[in-house]
């Protein structure tokens, strides 16, 4: 049975009744098979799973899409039930932020590059809510998608640097058959924009192994038709690229929708 709870007291009492290893999967709702993959892996690896559905205003800039962010709670709950989730936490903004927090988590230098450069305050807002939800759910392990690779990297750094002790598991990106990474924001794409959006995944897979110059040139070639925010090649921890396993990351605007994607590559 899947319990749906919206306030702290009911979450705490649900949490108390669930003994054993507890997993959490944090989402902003509008769930799709990418989220389901996280829920299913958590279900398979932990004794219990709590999903959270909360659109976190703290991580949206003033000109971003907070107001138009899709909300599909009934369908989301069906996906959580199908995945065998024990409890879904669906708090309102007031429950998470009884007062606007004056203390926020500083994401440090890794939070200032890539998406952090384009979205000031985004990662501080994200880390602050992740910290709060880890505390409120008292989870032993948390599952996050590699789709948001910089987010995953920063959460690992926060847990390490603040001695939080939670295990963080990264789950590979789930894609449409044609390569497009699943995202709650894909629903905003018109058919023509969706076609143009394929440039992102094509760019990431254009040259899976080669010199840094070859990888960047092959990717750049695919991105000529989109409004590129960044294309970056880094080491797996988002530091300067060196020969060996690396990460290729891209962000672009297609119409009014900002999309991000990334993939592992091998630098020779
Ligand atoms: P969101 O609701 O978009 O904030 O995402 C909630 C979680 O689902 C995050 O850990 C995301 O990285 C993850 N996620 C979103 N899209 C995908 C995808 N296509 N494949 C795997 N994980 C995903």
């Amino acid at each position: 049975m899947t319990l749906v709870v919206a306030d702290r007291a009911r979450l705490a009492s649900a949490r108390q009744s669930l003994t054993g290893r507890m997993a959490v999967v944090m989402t902003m709702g509008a769930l799709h098979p990418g989220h389901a993959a996280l829920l299913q892996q958590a279900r398979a690896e932990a004794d219990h799973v709590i999903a959270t559905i909360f659109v976190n205003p703290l991580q949206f800039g003033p000109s971003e899409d907070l107001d138009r962010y899709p909300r599909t709670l009934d369908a989301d709950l069906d996906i959580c039930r199908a995945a065998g989730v024990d409890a879904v936490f669906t708090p309102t903004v007031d429950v998470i932020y009884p007062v606007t927090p004056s203390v926020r988590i500083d994401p440090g230098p890794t939070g200032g590059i890539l998406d952090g450069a384009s979205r000031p305050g985004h990662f501080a807002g994200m880390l602050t809510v992740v910290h709060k939800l880890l505390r409120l759910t008292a989870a032993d392990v948390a599952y996050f998608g590699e789709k948001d690779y910089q987010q995953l990297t920063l959460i690992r750094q926060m847990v390490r640097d603040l001695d939080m002790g939670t295990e963080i598991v990264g789950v590979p990106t789930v894609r449409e058959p044609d390569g497009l990474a699943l995202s709650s924001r894909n629903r905003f794409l018109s058919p023509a924009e969706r076609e143009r959006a394929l440039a992102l995944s094509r760019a990431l897979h254009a040259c899976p192994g080669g010199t840094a110059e070859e990888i960047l040139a092959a990717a750049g070639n695919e991105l000529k038709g989109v409004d590129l925010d960044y294309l970056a090649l880094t080491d797996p921890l988002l530091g300067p690229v060196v020969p060996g396993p690396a990460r290729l990351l891209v962000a672009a605007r297609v119409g009014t929708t900002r999309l991000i994607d990334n993939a592992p590559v091998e630098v020779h």
Side-chain angles (χ1 to χ4, degrees):
M1 219 225 359
T2 305
L3 258 175
V4 182
V5 294
D7 63 81
R8 289 170 180 240
R10 285 203 185 83
L11 174 66
S13 99
R15 177 66 185 88
Q16 260 181 353
S17 67
L18 299 170
T19 52
R21 191 170 155 79
M22 172 61 70
V24 65
V25 175
M26 298 176 193
T27 80
M28 298 205 298
L31 302 188
H32 52 61
H35 299 110
L38 271 61
L39 295 170
Q40 285 154 9
Q41 190 170 334
R43 177 71 280 172
E45 294 177 356
D47 296 316
H48 299 290
V49 182
I50 298 180
T52 69
I53 298 177
F54 178 61
V55 182
N56 175 33
L58 223 58
Q59 70 189 64
F60 286 78
S63 61
E64 293 184 351
D65 58 355
L66 174 63
D67 290 338
R68 80 161 184 171
Y69 201 84
R71 300 180 197 233
T72 60
L73 186 60
D74 290 341
D76 294 350
L77 295 180
D78 287 343
I79 290 174
C80 290
R81 287 189 196 103
V85 168
D86 295 279
V88 188
F89 184 42
T90 59
T92 56
V93 173
D94 289 358
V95 167
I96 295 297
Y97 302 115
V99 294
T100 303
S102 53
V103 175
R104 301 184 190 195
I105 304 268
D106 179 353
T110 310
I113 59 172
L114 305 173
D115 265 37
S118 308
R119 305 183 65 188
H122 168 66
F123 286 126
M126 179 279 292
L127 288 178
T128 301
V129 83
V130 169
H131 186 279
K132 285 166 78 80
L133 291 171
L134 286 177
R135 300 284 298 188
L136 291 171
T137 59
D140 302 295
V141 56
Y143 290 75
F144 294 94
E146 289 184 355
K147 159 75 169 46
D148 300 282
Y149 192 80
Q150 190 174 10
Q151 165 173 294
L152 172 62
T153 305
L154 287 165
I155 292 167
R156 287 191 199 284
Q157 291 181 355
M158 172 178 74
V159 166
R160 178 198 67 192
D161 293 350
L162 302 184
D163 302 313
M164 293 173 67
T166 320
E167 185 187 337
I168 303 298
V169 177
V171 178
T173 302
V174 178
R175 298 178 179 281
E176 301 277 11
D178 60 9
L180 183 69
L182 296 187
S183 162
S184 305
R185 292 183 169 102
N186 289 352
R187 70 190 65 208
F188 298 131
L189 300 170
S190 69
E193 288 169 348
R194 196 195 170 291
E195 197 57 35
R196 272 192 285 142
L198 288 176
L200 276 75
S201 59
R202 274 205 305 268
L204 297 176
H205 299 107
C207 176
T211 64
E213 294 71 26
E214 285 166 348
I215 292 170
L216 285 168
N221 204 31
E222 298 286 351
L223 291 166
K224 288 183 179 140
V226 299
D227 176 8
L228 190 63
D229 182 353
Y230 62 77
L231 170 68
L233 183 60
T234 70
D235 80 355
L237 297 177
L238 299 181
V241 68
V242 288
R247 207 83 194 177
L248 186 59
L249 305 103
V250 63
R253 209 167 273 285
V254 180
T256 56
T257 306
R258 187 172 181 279
L259 299 174
I260 59 171
D261 200 355
N262 70 88
V265 291
E266 185 74 23
V267 172
H268 305 157

